Amino acid sequence: MREIVIGGAQMGPIQKADTREEVVDRMIALLQQAKGAGCDLVVFPELCLTTFFPRWYMEDQAEVDQWFEREMPNAATAPLFAAAREAQIAISFGYAELTPEGRHFNTSILTDRDGNIVGKYRKTHLPGHSEFDHDRAFQHLEKRYFEPGDTGFQVWRNMDAIMGMCICNDRRWPETYRVMGLQGVELVMLGYNTPSVNSQDSVEGLEKRLYHSELSMTSAAYQNATWVVGVAKAGDEDGHPLMGGSMIVDPNGYVMARAETEGDELIVHACDMDACSFGKSTIFDFARHRRIEHYGLICSQTGVVLPD
Amino acid sequence: MREIVIGGAQMGPIQKADTREEVVDRMIALLQQAKGAGCDLVVFPELCLTTFFPRWYMEDQAEVDQWFEREMPNAATAPLFAAAREAQIAISFGYAELTPEGRHFNTSILTDRDGNIVGKYRKTHLPGHSEFDHDRAFQHLEKRYFEPGDTGFQVWRNMDAIMGMCICNDRRWPETYRVMGLQGVELVMLGYNTPSVNSQDSVEGLEKRLYHSELSMTSAAYQNATWVVGVAKAGDEDGHPLMGGSMIVDPNGYVMARAETEGDELIVHACDMDACSFGKSTIFDFARHRRIEHYGLICSQTGVVLPD
């Protein structure tokens, strides 16, 4: 048994007017709650230091850049790192990263139990669009404010397990998990900000959107025999609803813990990393069963090419 | 609207002693039922002309070869093709194929409404093992009796839609559907013979096995915005139970029709191929969103390589 008690720290809405210091105070409160629950590792959402700003159309780059972090940790987040180190809890969270070279990424980091950053991931699958879209009920400008991540899907040894990260829309793409699965991943951590409404299909409804999120994570957990922890930023941000549905999924694709609210809410499960072994050594023993000679299009062709 | 009324013709058990002629009579009865239900296309299971013989260990190749078909159609299946042509119903079904060159494949074919074979698929992901395994509750010798398919995951234009096939264990691998998705597939047909018991984990249970089958098909339907029709051979074959759970899944990953028995049972749904368009043009618009530069391991590496 290699047990890691994991907390999924769902966060309720962050309004445009909220400061990073106010947000970090909420994160520390969740961390303290996690400490009380015996957590070894806490996963926070994507872009969890600010409101989900890609819904706002901006042309002034200085205005855009105010949503980004130039270093990590920084003054605003140092108390979070200190609290995590003090509690001996590893953490993962997402933020908008502005590099010294002026590049913009949607990023997540992972620390060890001493608050040292041991992994950094930059979001690969940016959803949405880059120009103002009059046909949408609201904007989703991730392709405008970020460039696609350059890290790929790495994994890291941490806390005697193999861990990887992805972010939000990445979770809907089986390629995401498979690349990590091929590196033996046992725990995939991800955060998301997912609107409760489809900007291109207003009748879709929350229930269907929660189902698609769950389906993506549960299938990937099963098909790669890995734990998956998905954590939402949820609730009403300045009139724009984000869905909840944070969950911890076991390597058989079963939901072991699930958030019930759209607010700050900790979900906890004691995750045995050894539970990955059965699937990885039987039906999903990749070395015995995968047939890469027939997968070529997945890596050679980006879009659809219709048959004659 | 491009509607195809699809019948999933689940089949109950076929005993070792049953003849192909008896089985074809049952298939024709299901076909007539489908005609009455207005079906345009009927999908039958994997290896549907015989019992699931890979559960039996055989060393005599002549004994093995009696389970294989040397041509298709042949004398035993000609009445099925004739009935399908007469009813103007396209069909897909699976059988064990022995080629003139002496090669053995687990194969499915697809016909048009005139009974002409328009597509042939040979199973890629063979589960199980090739030598007698004393540690299993029963044998699953697909790797012994078949070689991996050499067709890859092609698609075909048929009935004004883009159709593809896979077989049984293929359905658990997201690569299967993605290769077809990259060719614009709108309907994936598959048959299966799935034991109700995990030969390597007797306590797993039927419910979990049905869940994993459903999870694999629903997630793939959603993530490729395609219809998926999965059809079981079910029930007790000479003391070995096979699970049912045949289903028709829409391009949003919802189960629209589901078998309730483990016997011969037709499930029917009117499937609009145009329902694939929304997903293919928005969240799963591959050309806009896929990032093949980060998928390399999927095609370059068969098994797991652990990080340092």
Side-chain angles (χ1 to χ4, degrees), chain B residues 138 193-199 201-210 233-236 240-244 262:
Chain B
F138 52 89
N193 285 258
T194 301
S196 305
V197 177
N198 188 328
S199 66
D201 180 15
S202 61
V203 302
E204 185 174 273
L206 176 60
E207 190 182 350
K208 191 175 194 175
R209 293 174 70 73
L210 287 166
K233 181 144 66 65
D236 187 321
H240 291 80
L242 297 170
M243 68 183 218
E262 291 186 346

Side-chain angles (χ1 to χ4, degrees), chain A residues 125 143 149 157 172 174-175 178 182 211-212 222-223 252-253 289-290 294-295 298-299 301 305 307, chain B residues 125 143 149 157 172 174-175 178 182 211-212 222-223 252-253 288-290 294-295 298-299 301 305 307:
Chain A
H125 298 97
K143 285 189 196 291
R157 290 189 184 274
R172 304 182 193 274
E175 292 90 343
R178 187 61 103 222
L182 284 161
Y211 171 63
H212 285 160
Y222 166 59
Q223 292 175 333
N252 278 302
H289 300 310
R290 293 181 80 245
H294 296 302
Y295 303 160
I298 293 170
C299 298
Q301 181 180 309
V305 177
Chain B
H125 299 97
K143 286 190 196 290
R157 290 189 184 274
R172 304 183 193 275
E175 292 90 343
R178 187 61 105 223
L182 283 161
Y211 171 64
H212 285 160
Y222 166 59
Q223 293 175 333
N252 278 301
R288 274 199 295 144
H289 300 309
R290 293 182 80 246
H294 296 303
Y295 302 162
I298 294 171
C299 299
Q301 181 179 309
V305 177

Side-chain angles (χ1 to χ4, degrees), chain B residues 5 60 76 93-94 107 109 120 126 141 170 194 216 228 248 287 301:
Chain B
V5 181
D60 175 3
F93 68 89
T107 295
I109 51 145
K120 176 186 279 192
L126 298 172
L141 291 154
D170 285 325
T194 301
S216 297
V228 174
I248 298 175
Q301 181 179 309

